[in-house]
Amino acid sequence: MDRYLDQVTSGPMFLRQEVIAELIITSLFKGAELGHYCLGAFVVMANHVHTLLWPLVAPSLLLKSIKGFTAREANRILGRTGEPFWQRESYDHCVRNDREWDSIARYIEENPVKAGMAESAEAYAWSSANERWRERVHTSVNAARTSACATSTGGYSAGRKD
């Protein structure tokens, strides 16, 4: 699917506009600041986005929040009204361990390189591999889990019932 998306030359390519890519990334960081998730690797491609998240709320709620806010704002910026911005579907996958987290993070950050959009993952401006964003993302399941435990409010925290 990604290979197909990376090779498409027609259809909406709004995400390649700097103002829209910046909006998406800013929104990803805002969701993390609000405590909806811990943010791992991400990349904003011309027509799709990959994110690696450790959810702290129901995944359906956080996707609705991210997609809803970014769609409204992007359509406002683009002067569009009443038109869908995102496709309805999304693909999710449960990450089981650090090795899988690392593999998915590499896949996400290398996506622009494989698509021929950058010489290296670090050179792509809209990727968590870029130095502009690198320090603000979680690099492993354990780091996300530790942060999730540190930010939890009530209930279970670090394996103990409060």
Side-chain angles (χ1 to χ4, degrees):
M1 179 57 99
D2 283 337
R3 184 169 289 143
Y4 169 75
L5 289 173
D6 293 338
Q7 294 172 352
V8 171
T9 57
S10 62
M13 299 284 185
F14 302 124
L15 300 174
R16 71 168 54 159
Q17 295 180 37
E18 186 173 331
V19 66
I20 303 298
E22 185 86 30
L23 165 70
I24 303 305
I25 293 173
T26 301
S27 297
L28 289 173
F29 283 116
K30 184 66 172 177
E33 290 168 14
L34 291 172
H36 295 173
Y37 48 80
C38 295
L39 180 60
F42 64 82
V43 66
V44 178
M45 301 293 285
N47 58 359
H48 65 284
V49 175
H50 291 283
T51 60
L52 184 55
L53 308 171
W54 179 274
L56 301 174
V57 298
S60 60
L61 293 177
L62 72 87
L63 282 177
K64 182 179 178 182
S65 176
I66 292 170
K67 283 183 160 186
F69 176 77
T70 55
R72 280 188 304 280
E73 288 302 303
N75 279 334
R76 184 185 59 74
I77 291 166
L78 296 166
R80 296 166 21 120
T81 55
E83 297 181 58
F85 185 81
W86 298 109
Q87 291 183 340
R88 284 184 160 298
E89 75 276 350
S90 59
Y91 172 77
D92 58 4
H93 173 81
C94 292
V95 178
R96 289 162 176 67
N97 55 47
D98 272 337
R99 192 177 79 196
E100 191 173 11
W101 178 283
D102 293 343
S103 175
I104 294 168
R106 266 192 314 279
Y107 172 83
I108 289 171
E109 291 180 343
E110 288 293 324
N111 200 242
V113 177
K114 289 179 184 171
M117 299 173 71
E119 291 293 318
S120 70
E122 297 80 10
Y124 191 70
W126 311 115
S127 167
S128 55
N130 186 278
E131 67 182 15
R132 181 175 177 194
W133 319 110
R134 185 83 232 149
E135 297 299 318
R136 296 177 61 191
V137 298
H138 291 281
T139 57
S140 73
V141 170
N142 286 331
R145 185 179 293 125
T146 300
S147 179
C149 290
T151 59
S152 67
T153 56
Y156 285 87
S157 177
R160 283 192 10 230
K161 186 173 181 178
D162 293 337

Coordinates of all heavy atoms in Angstrom, one line a residue, residues 52-120:
L52 N 3.7 6.5 15.1 CA 3.9 5.4 16.1 C 3.5 6.0 17.4 O 4.2 6.9 17.9 CB 5.3 4.9 16.0 CG 5.7 3.7 16.9 CD1 4.7 2.5 16.6 CD2 7.1 3.3 16.7
L53 N 2.4 5.5 18.0 CA 1.9 6.1 19.2 C 1.8 5.1 20.3 O 1.4 3.9 20.0 CB 0.5 6.7 19.0 CG 0.3 7.7 17.8 CD1 -1.1 8.0 17.6 CD2 1.1 9.0 18.1
W54 N 1.9 5.5 21.6 CA 1.6 4.7 22.7 C 0.3 5.3 23.3 O 0.4 6.4 24.0 CB 2.7 4.7 23.8 CG 2.5 4.0 25.0 CD1 1.8 4.4 26.1 CD2 2.8 2.6 25.3 NE1 1.7 3.4 27.0 CE2 2.3 2.3 26.6 CE3 3.5 1.6 24.5 CZ2 2.5 1.1 27.1 CZ3 3.6 0.4 25.1 CH2 3.1 0.1 26.4
P55 N -0.8 4.8 23.0 CA -2.1 5.5 23.4 C -2.3 5.5 24.9 O -2.0 4.5 25.6 CB -3.2 4.7 22.7 CG -2.5 3.4 22.3 CD -1.1 3.6 22.3
L56 N -2.8 6.6 25.4 CA -3.2 6.7 26.8 C -4.7 6.9 27.0 O -5.2 7.0 28.1 CB -2.4 7.9 27.4 CG -0.9 7.8 27.4 CD1 -0.2 9.0 27.9 CD2 -0.4 6.5 28.1
V57 N -5.3 7.0 25.8 CA -6.8 7.0 25.7 C -7.2 6.0 24.7 O -6.3 5.5 23.9 CB -7.4 8.4 25.4 CG1 -7.0 9.5 26.5 CG2 -6.9 8.9 24.0
A58 N -8.5 5.7 24.5 CA -8.9 4.8 23.5 C -8.4 5.2 22.1 O -8.6 6.4 21.7 CB -10.4 4.7 23.5
P59 N -7.8 4.3 21.4 CA -7.3 4.7 20.1 C -8.3 5.3 19.1 O -8.0 6.2 18.4 CB -6.8 3.3 19.5 CG -6.4 2.6 20.7 CD -7.4 3.0 21.8
S60 N -9.5 4.8 19.2 CA -10.6 5.4 18.3 C -10.8 6.9 18.7 O -11.0 7.7 17.8 CB -11.9 4.6 18.4 OG -12.4 4.6 19.7
L61 N -10.7 7.2 20.0 CA -10.9 8.6 20.4 C -9.8 9.5 19.9 O -10.0 10.6 19.5 CB -11.1 8.7 21.9 CG -12.4 8.1 22.5 CD1 -12.4 8.2 24.0 CD2 -13.6 8.8 21.9
L62 N -8.6 9.0 20.1 CA -7.4 9.8 19.7 C -7.3 10.0 18.2 O -7.0 11.1 17.7 CB -6.1 9.3 20.3 CG -5.4 8.1 19.8 CD1 -4.5 8.4 18.7 CD2 -4.6 7.5 20.9
L63 N -7.7 9.0 17.4 CA -7.7 9.2 16.0 C -8.8 10.2 15.5 O -8.5 11.0 14.7 CB -7.8 7.9 15.2 CG -6.6 7.0 15.2 CD1 -6.9 5.7 14.5 CD2 -5.5 7.7 14.4
K64 N -9.9 10.1 16.2 CA -11.0 11.0 15.9 C -10.6 12.4 16.2 O -10.8 13.3 15.4 CB -12.3 10.6 16.7 CG -13.4 11.5 16.4 CD -14.7 11.0 17.2 CE -15.8 12.0 16.9 NZ -17.0 11.6 17.7
S65 N -9.9 12.6 17.3 CA -9.4 13.9 17.7 C -8.4 14.5 16.7 O -8.5 15.6 16.3 CB -8.9 13.8 19.1 OG -8.3 15.1 19.5
I66 N -7.4 13.7 16.4 CA -6.3 14.1 15.5 C -6.9 14.4 14.1 O -6.6 15.5 13.6 CB -5.2 13.0 15.4 CG1 -4.4 12.9 16.7 CG2 -4.3 13.4 14.2 CD1 -3.5 11.7 16.7
K67 N -7.6 13.5 13.6 CA -8.2 13.6 12.2 C -9.2 14.8 12.2 O -9.2 15.6 11.2 CB -8.9 12.4 11.7 CG -7.9 11.3 11.3 CD -8.6 10.1 10.7 CE -7.8 9.3 9.9 NZ -8.5 8.2 9.2
G68 N -10.0 14.9 13.2 CA -11.0 16.0 13.2 C -10.4 17.4 13.2 O -10.7 18.2 12.4
F69 N -9.5 17.6 14.2 CA -8.9 18.9 14.3 C -8.1 19.2 13.1 O -8.2 20.3 12.5 CB -8.0 18.9 15.6 CG -7.2 20.2 15.7 CD1 -7.9 21.4 16.1 CD2 -5.9 20.3 15.3 CE1 -7.2 22.6 16.2 CE2 -5.2 21.5 15.3 CZ -5.9 22.7 15.8
T70 N -7.2 18.3 12.6 CA -6.3 18.6 11.5 C -7.2 18.8 10.2 O -6.8 19.7 9.4 CB -5.3 17.6 11.3 OG1 -5.9 16.3 11.2 CG2 -4.3 17.5 12.4
A71 N -8.3 18.1 10.0 CA -9.1 18.3 8.9 C -9.7 19.6 8.9 O -9.7 20.3 7.8 CB -10.2 17.2 8.8
R72 N -10.3 20.1 10.0 CA -10.9 21.4 10.1 C -9.9 22.5 9.8 O -10.1 23.4 9.0 CB -11.5 21.6 11.4 CG -12.9 21.0 11.6 CD -13.6 21.4 12.9 NE -12.8 21.2 14.1 CZ -12.7 20.0 14.7 NH1 -13.3 19.0 14.2 NH2 -11.9 19.9 15.8
E73 N -8.7 22.4 10.4 CA -7.7 23.4 10.2 C -7.1 23.4 8.8 O -6.9 24.5 8.2 CB -6.6 23.3 11.3 CG -7.0 23.7 12.7 CD -7.5 25.1 12.7 OE1 -6.8 26.0 12.4 OE2 -8.7 25.3 13.2
A74 N -6.8 22.3 8.3 CA -6.3 22.2 6.9 C -7.3 22.7 5.9 O -6.9 23.5 5.0 CB -5.9 20.7 6.6
N75 N -8.5 22.3 6.1 CA -9.5 22.8 5.1 C -9.7 24.3 5.2 O -9.9 25.0 4.2 CB -10.9 22.1 5.3 CG -10.9 20.7 4.6 OD1 -10.2 20.5 3.7 ND2 -11.7 19.8 5.1
R76 N -9.6 24.8 6.5 CA -9.7 26.3 6.6 C -8.5 27.0 5.9 O -8.7 27.9 5.2 CB -9.7 26.7 8.1 CG -9.8 28.1 8.4 CD -9.7 28.5 9.9 NE -8.4 28.1 10.4 CZ -7.2 28.7 10.2 NH1 -7.2 29.8 9.4 NH2 -6.1 28.3 10.8
I77 N -7.3 26.5 6.1 CA -6.1 27.0 5.4 C -6.3 26.9 3.9 O -5.9 27.9 3.2 CB -4.9 26.3 5.9 CG1 -4.6 26.6 7.4 CG2 -3.7 26.6 5.0 CD1 -3.6 25.7 8.0
L78 N -6.8 25.8 3.4 CA -6.9 25.6 2.0 C -8.2 26.3 1.4 O -8.3 26.2 0.2 CB -7.0 24.1 1.7 CG -5.7 23.3 2.1 CD1 -6.0 21.8 2.1 CD2 -4.5 23.7 1.1
G79 N -9.0 26.9 2.2 CA -10.2 27.5 1.7 C -11.3 26.6 1.3 O -12.0 26.9 0.4
R80 N -11.3 25.4 1.8 CA -12.2 24.3 1.5 C -13.3 24.2 2.6 O -13.0 24.3 3.7 CB -11.5 23.0 1.3 CG -10.5 22.9 0.2 CD -9.6 21.7 0.3 NE -10.0 20.6 1.1 CZ -10.2 19.4 0.6 NH1 -10.0 19.1 -0.7 NH2 -10.6 18.4 1.3
T81 N -14.5 24.0 2.2 CA -15.6 23.8 3.2 C -16.4 22.6 2.7 O -16.7 22.4 1.5 CB -16.5 25.0 3.3 OG1 -17.0 25.3 2.0 CG2 -15.8 26.2 3.9
G82 N -16.8 21.8 3.7 CA -17.7 20.6 3.5 C -17.0 19.5 2.7 O -17.7 18.6 2.2
E83 N -15.7 19.5 2.6 CA -15.0 18.4 1.9 C -14.2 17.6 2.8 O -13.6 18.1 3.7 CB -14.1 19.0 0.8 CG -14.9 19.7 -0.3 CD -13.9 20.3 -1.3 OE1 -13.2 19.4 -1.9 OE2 -13.9 21.5 -1.5
P84 N -14.2 16.2 2.7 CA -13.4 15.4 3.6 C -11.9 15.7 3.3 O -11.5 15.9 2.1 CB -13.7 14.0 3.2 CG -14.4 14.1 1.9 CD -14.9 15.4 1.7
F85 N -11.1 15.7 4.3 CA -9.7 15.9 4.2 C -8.9 14.5 4.3 O -8.1 14.2 3.5 CB -9.1 16.8 5.3 CG -7.7 17.1 5.1 CD1 -7.3 18.1 4.2 CD2 -6.7 16.5 5.8 CE1 -5.9 18.4 4.0 CE2 -5.4 16.7 5.7 CZ -5.0 17.7 4.8
W86 N -9.3 13.7 5.2 CA -8.7 12.4 5.4 C -9.7 11.3 4.9 O -10.9 11.5 4.9 CB -8.5 12.1 6.9 CG -7.6 13.0 7.6 CD1 -7.9 14.0 8.5 CD2 -6.2 13.1 7.5 NE1 -6.8 14.6 9.0 CE2 -5.7 14.1 8.3 CE3 -5.2 12.4 6.7 CZ2 -4.4 14.5 8.4 CZ3 -3.9 12.8 6.8 CH2 -3.5 13.8 7.7
Q87 N -9.1 10.2 4.5 CA -9.9 9.0 4.2 C -10.4 8.5 5.5 O -9.8 8.7 6.5 CB -9.1 8.0 3.4 CG -8.7 8.4 2.0 CD -7.9 7.3 1.3 OE1 -7.4 6.4 1.9 NE2 -7.9 7.4 0.0
R88 N -11.5 7.7 5.4 CA -12.1 7.2 6.6 C -11.3 6.1 7.3 O -11.2 6.1 8.5 CB -13.4 6.5 6.2 CG -14.6 7.5 6.0 CD -15.8 6.6 5.7 NE -17.1 7.2 5.8 CZ -17.6 7.8 6.9 NH1 -16.9 7.8 8.0 NH2 -18.8 8.3 6.9
E89 N -10.6 5.3 6.6 CA -9.9 4.2 7.2 C -8.5 4.6 7.7 O -8.0 5.6 7.3 CB -9.7 3.0 6.2 CG -8.7 3.2 5.2 CD -9.2 3.9 3.9 OE1 -10.4 4.2 3.8 OE2 -8.4 4.3 3.1
S90 N -8.0 3.8 8.6 CA -6.7 3.9 9.1 C -6.2 2.5 9.4 O -7.0 1.6 9.6 CB -6.6 4.8 10.3 OG -7.4 4.3 11.3
Y91 N -4.9 2.3 9.5 CA -4.4 1.0 9.8 C -3.7 1.1 11.2 O -2.9 2.0 11.4 CB -3.3 0.6 8.7 CG -2.6 -0.6 9.1 CD1 -3.2 -1.9 8.9 CD2 -1.3 -0.6 9.6 CE1 -2.5 -3.0 9.2 CE2 -0.6 -1.7 9.9 CZ -1.2 -2.9 9.7 OH -0.5 -4.1 10.0
D92 N -4.1 0.2 12.1 CA -3.4 0.2 13.4 C -2.9 -1.2 13.6 O -3.3 -2.2 13.0 CB -4.3 0.6 14.5 CG -5.6 -0.2 14.6 OD1 -5.8 -1.2 13.9 OD2 -6.4 0.1 15.5
H93 N -1.9 -1.2 14.5 CA -1.2 -2.5 14.8 C -0.7 -2.4 16.2 O -0.1 -1.3 16.6 CB 0.0 -2.6 13.8 CG 0.9 -3.8 14.1 ND1 0.6 -5.0 13.8 CD2 2.1 -3.8 14.8 CE1 1.6 -5.8 14.2 NE2 2.5 -5.1 14.8
C94 N -0.8 -3.4 17.0 CA -0.3 -3.4 18.4 C 1.2 -3.8 18.4 O 1.5 -4.8 17.8 CB -1.1 -4.4 19.2 SG -2.8 -4.0 19.5
V95 N 2.0 -3.0 19.0 CA 3.4 -3.2 19.1 C 3.6 -4.0 20.4 O 3.2 -3.6 21.5 CB 4.2 -1.9 19.2 CG1 5.7 -2.1 19.3 CG2 3.9 -1.1 17.9
R96 N 4.3 -5.1 20.3 CA 4.5 -6.0 21.4 C 5.8 -5.9 22.2 O 5.8 -6.3 23.3 CB 4.3 -7.5 20.9 CG 2.9 -7.8 20.5 CD 2.8 -9.0 19.6 NE 1.5 -9.4 19.2 CZ 0.6 -8.7 18.5 NH1 0.9 -7.5 18.0 NH2 -0.6 -9.2 18.2
N97 N 6.8 -5.3 21.6 CA 8.1 -5.3 22.3 C 9.0 -4.2 21.6 O 8.6 -3.6 20.6 CB 8.8 -6.6 22.3 CG 9.0 -7.2 20.9 OD1 9.4 -6.6 20.0 ND2 8.6 -8.5 20.8
D98 N 10.1 -4.0 22.3 CA 11.1 -2.9 21.8 C 11.6 -3.3 20.4 O 11.7 -2.3 19.5 CB 12.3 -2.8 22.7 CG 12.0 -1.8 23.8 OD1 11.2 -0.9 23.7 OD2 12.7 -1.9 24.8
R99 N 11.8 -4.5 20.1 CA 12.3 -4.9 18.7 C 11.3 -4.5 17.7 O 11.7 -3.9 16.6 CB 12.6 -6.4 18.7 CG 13.4 -6.7 17.5 CD 13.8 -8.2 17.5 NE 12.6 -8.9 17.0 CZ 12.4 -10.2 17.1 NH1 13.3 -10.9 17.7 NH2 11.3 -10.7 16.7
E100 N 10.0 -4.8 17.9 CA 9.0 -4.5 17.0 C 8.8 -2.9 16.9 O 8.7 -2.4 15.8 CB 7.7 -5.1 17.4 CG 6.6 -5.0 16.3 CD 5.4 -5.8 16.6 OE1 5.2 -6.3 17.7 OE2 4.6 -6.0 15.7
W101 N 8.9 -2.2 18.0 CA 8.8 -0.8 18.0 C 9.9 -0.2 17.1 O 9.7 0.7 16.3 CB 8.9 -0.3 19.4 CG 8.9 1.2 19.6 CD1 9.9 2.1 19.3 CD2 7.8 2.1 20.0 NE1 9.5 3.4 19.6 CE2 8.2 3.4 20.0 CE3 6.5 1.8 20.4 CZ2 7.4 4.5 20.4 CZ3 5.7 2.8 20.8 CH2 6.2 4.2 20.8
D102 N 11.2 -0.7 17.3 CA 12.3 -0.2 16.6 C 12.1 -0.5 15.1 O 12.5 0.4 14.3 CB 13.6 -0.8 17.1 CG 14.0 -0.4 18.5 OD1 13.5 0.6 19.0 OD2 14.8 -1.1 19.1
S103 N 11.6 -1.6 14.7 CA 11.4 -2.0 13.3 C 10.4 -1.1 12.7 O 10.6 -0.6 11.6 CB 11.0 -3.4 13.3 OG 10.7 -3.8 11.9
I104 N 9.3 -0.8 13.4 CA 8.3 0.0 12.8 C 8.8 1.5 12.7 O 8.5 2.2 11.7 CB 7.0 -0.1 13.7 CG1 6.4 -1.5 13.5 CG2 6.0 1.0 13.3 CD1 5.3 -1.8 14.5
A105 N 9.5 1.9 13.8 CA 10.1 3.3 13.7 C 11.0 3.5 12.5 O 10.9 4.5 11.8 CB 10.8 3.6 15.0
R106 N 11.9 2.5 12.3 CA 12.8 2.6 11.1 C 12.0 2.6 9.8 O 12.3 3.4 8.9 CB 13.7 1.4 11.1 CG 15.0 1.6 11.8 CD 16.0 0.5 11.5 NE 15.5 -0.9 11.7 CZ 15.4 -1.5 12.9 NH1 15.7 -0.9 14.0 NH2 14.9 -2.7 12.9
Y107 N 11.0 1.8 9.7 CA 10.1 1.7 8.5 C 9.5 3.1 8.3 O 9.5 3.6 7.2 CB 9.1 0.7 8.7 CG 8.0 0.7 7.6 CD1 8.3 0.0 6.4 CD2 6.8 1.4 7.8 CE1 7.3 0.0 5.4 CE2 5.9 1.4 6.8 CZ 6.1 0.7 5.6 OH 5.2 0.8 4.6
I108 N 8.9 3.7 9.3 CA 8.3 5.0 9.2 C 9.3 6.0 8.8 O 9.1 6.8 7.8 CB 7.6 5.4 10.5 CG1 6.4 4.5 10.8 CG2 7.3 6.9 10.6 CD1 5.8 4.7 12.2
E109 N 10.4 6.1 9.5 CA 11.4 7.2 9.2 C 12.1 7.0 7.8 O 12.5 8.0 7.2 CB 12.4 7.3 10.3 CG 11.7 7.8 11.6 CD 12.6 8.0 12.8 OE1 13.7 7.4 12.8 OE2 12.2 8.7 13.7
E110 N 12.2 5.8 7.4 CA 12.8 5.5 6.1 C 11.9 5.7 4.9 O 12.3 5.6 3.7 CB 13.4 4.1 6.0 CG 14.7 4.0 6.9 CD 15.9 4.8 6.4 OE1 16.0 4.9 5.1 OE2 16.6 5.3 7.2
N111 N 10.6 5.8 5.1 CA 9.6 5.9 4.1 C 9.9 7.0 3.0 O 9.8 6.7 1.8 CB 8.2 6.2 4.7 CG 7.1 5.8 3.8 OD1 6.3 6.7 3.4 ND2 7.0 4.5 3.4
P112 N 10.3 8.2 3.4 CA 10.7 9.2 2.4 C 11.9 8.8 1.6 O 12.0 9.2 0.4 CB 11.0 10.5 3.2 CG 10.5 10.2 4.6 CD 10.4 8.8 4.8
V113 N 12.8 8.1 2.1 CA 14.0 7.6 1.4 C 13.6 6.6 0.4 O 14.0 6.7 -0.8 CB 15.1 7.1 2.4 CG1 16.3 6.5 1.6 CG2 15.5 8.1 3.4
K114 N 12.8 5.6 0.8 CA 12.3 4.6 -0.2 C 11.5 5.2 -1.3 O 11.5 4.7 -2.4 CB 11.5 3.6 0.6 CG 12.3 2.7 1.5 CD 11.5 1.7 2.2 CE 12.3 0.9 3.2 NZ 11.5 0.1 4.1
A115 N 10.8 6.3 -1.0 CA 9.9 7.0 -2.0 C 10.7 7.9 -2.9 O 10.2 8.5 -3.8 CB 8.8 7.7 -1.3
G116 N 12.0 8.0 -2.6 CA 12.9 8.9 -3.4 C 12.7 10.4 -3.1 O 13.1 11.2 -3.9
M117 N 12.2 10.7 -1.9 CA 11.9 12.1 -1.5 C 13.1 12.7 -0.7 O 13.1 13.9 -0.5 CB 10.6 12.2 -0.8 CG 9.4 11.7 -1.6 SD 7.9 11.7 -0.6 CE 7.6 13.4 -0.4
A118 N 14.0 11.9 -0.3 CA 15.1 12.4 0.5 C 16.3 11.4 0.4 O 16.1 10.2 0.2 CB 14.7 12.5 2.0
E119 N 17.5 11.9 0.6 CA 18.7 11.1 0.5 C 18.9 10.3 1.8 O 19.4 9.2 1.8 CB 20.0 12.0 0.3 CG 20.1 12.6 -1.0 CD 20.3 11.6 -2.1 OE1 21.1 10.6 -1.9 OE2 19.6 11.7 -3.2
S120 N 18.4 10.8 2.9 CA 18.4 10.1 4.2 C 17.2 10.5 5.0 O 16.6 11.5 4.8 CB 19.7 10.5 5.0 OG 19.6 11.9 5.4

